[in-house]
Amino acid sequence: MLGITHLRHISLITPFLQEQADFYENVWGLDKVSQDDTNVYFRGAGPENHILSLHAGEKRGLHHIAFGMVDKNAVDRAAEILAAKGVKIVSPPDYLDEEGKGYGLRFVDPENRCIELSAWVEVHTSIWNKKNVDPVKLNHVVMNTKDLDMITDFYMNILGFKVTDWSEHQMSFLRCNRKHHSIAFNQDKHASVNHIAYEVDTVDELMRGISNVRKAGYQEIWGPGRHGPGNNIFCYFQDPGKFVMEYTCYLETIEDESEWRARVWKRVPHLMDQWGIAGSPKPETRAAMGGEPDPGWVDVKALV
């Protein structure tokens, strides 16, 4: 096993850099860490250096997903394991030239998603300036995939994730720690970003977040409600770059690894939303979550 500890951040490519940056800073509740002409980094209320970065590009898509590791030795060992298993490493282990620094590597998964594994990344020790809503950290990310079985197998058998639950044969929920899932995959016609979930502390804060976003002129596209898989409370929106994001809280934790057995959830309205308020996603919501086909890092040589 590689020894992945947690989900750090997600980085997105967008043609709407400033519009999205303004939204996440002024509406969603994140704090800007740094910005230049083509990149913006945001932190949450937790100590993680940044949980979201935006990078200017002609077409929206995934830049990379970052997961944490314990130390430099773990990163180096992960590189050896990945190389031995034939995984394409696009940035070998080295000290990182990005916000937060640290030591890490990048590789591409079978659908050309760029994944970063990093350690020794700088953390925030300053006091957080509390707002009406304070996203603490990145709770989970969901990706669309053309081949659910193939990608689930890769993340399990190559990266060491465990399947916590299935939503029939449509979604797999994968964990790298006690949290129900850090990443999940949804079967679709193409690979793309499905949605990005930001964790808040309480349901009261989640509802205040909904109010903030509404006041800014955005309407929720699904929720509020409470999922079956994960048992978390949710509400989904779409940002100015058309990415779907979620406020969430109270995600289930796995108390006893030895006793846990993955469940298969029926895809019925009362299990997609246990409260019976949100029901199933509307067709336009599913279309938003489907995103645009994302080829990922096609020219991997450019990253070396």
Side-chain angles (χ1 to χ4, degrees), residues 148-168:
L148 183 64
D149 290 329
M150 177 277 296
I151 204 68
T152 300
D153 180 77
F154 177 86
Y155 277 76
M156 286 178 61
N157 296 321
I158 304 297
L159 304 187
F161 285 78
K162 297 178 181 179
V163 174
T164 307
D165 279 329
W166 295 87
S167 177
E168 293 187 6

Side-chain angles (χ1 to χ4, degrees), residues 10 20 39 55 62 66 121-122 137 165 197 205 229 231 256 298:
I10 189 167
Q20 278 184 268
N39 310 283
H55 306 272
L62 177 68
V121 177
E122 295 171 2
K137 58 186 177 182
D165 279 329
E205 192 170 354
N231 199 38
D256 188 344
V298 177

Side-chain angles (χ1 to χ4, degrees), residues 61-294:
L62 177 68
H63 190 283
H64 71 272
I65 303 170
F67 293 96
M69 305 202 83
V70 172
D71 56 22
K72 177 180 181 293
N73 289 336
V75 174
D76 290 336
R77 180 173 174 271
E80 294 174 1
I81 294 172
L82 291 170
K85 294 184 176 182
V87 176
K88 178 65 178 180
I89 296 175
V90 296
S91 293
D94 202 350
Y95 292 95
L96 298 173
D97 183 20
E98 67 175 350
E99 183 65 35
K101 305 301 180 181
Y103 183 88
L105 63 86
R106 289 180 181 176
F107 64 91
V108 287
D109 75 12
E111 291 184 306
N112 279 328
R113 293 179 195 86
C114 186
I115 305 297
E116 177 183 292
L117 303 179
S118 58
W120 296 353
V121 177
E122 295 171 2
V123 297
H124 292 285
T125 57
S126 58
I127 297 175
W128 173 260
N129 182 25
K130 285 189 69 65
K131 310 178 184 68
N132 199 28
V133 58
D134 301 293
V136 179
K137 58 186 177 182
L138 202 60
N139 184 277
H140 63 267
V141 295
V142 178
M143 300 288 120
N144 296 313
T145 176
K146 291 176 66 176
D147 191 335
L148 183 64
D149 290 329
M150 177 277 296
I151 204 68
T152 300
D153 180 77
F154 177 86
Y155 277 76
M156 286 178 61
N157 296 321
I158 304 297
L159 304 187
F161 285 78
K162 297 178 181 179
V163 174
T164 307
D165 279 329
W166 295 87
S167 177
E168 293 187 6
H169 194 243
Q170 180 66 36
M171 292 186 70
S172 60
F173 298 86
L174 302 168
R175 69 186 186 277
C176 59
N177 50 38
R178 291 176 58 209
K179 294 291 186 180
H180 183 274
H181 60 287
S182 295
I183 191 168
F185 290 95
N186 174 67
Q187 179 69 50
D188 209 328
K189 296 177 181 178
H190 54 252
S192 62
V193 176
N194 183 285
H195 73 268
I196 302 157
Y198 298 83
E199 181 175 327
V200 296
D201 282 334
T202 67
V203 64
D204 286 341
E205 192 170 354
L206 186 146
M207 297 304 286
R208 290 197 301 271
I210 294 173
S211 176
N212 287 350
V213 180
R214 284 180 176 177
K215 288 175 181 176
Y218 298 84
Q219 190 66 32
E220 61 270 20
I221 62 173
W222 189 27
R226 187 159 205 160
H227 286 313
N231 199 38
N232 50 312
I233 297 171
F234 67 87
C235 194
Y236 295 77
F237 296 87
Q238 200 169 17
D239 75 12
K242 302 302 180 183
F243 289 99
V244 176
M245 67 287 188
E246 170 191 2
Y247 281 133
T248 194
C249 60
Y250 307 156
L251 182 71
E252 184 175 13
T253 57
I254 309 306
E255 299 300 331
D256 188 344
E257 283 281 356
S258 65
E259 295 293 324
W260 188 265
R261 298 294 179 271
R263 302 162 292 188
V264 180
W265 293 79
K266 291 286 188 182
R267 293 180 65 78
V268 291
H270 71 277
L271 295 180
M272 292 182 179
D273 168 29
Q274 298 182 79
W275 290 345
I277 298 170
S280 301
K282 296 177 181 178
E284 51 268 36
T285 300
R286 293 193 186 280
M289 290 180 173
E292 302 169 358
D294 188 350

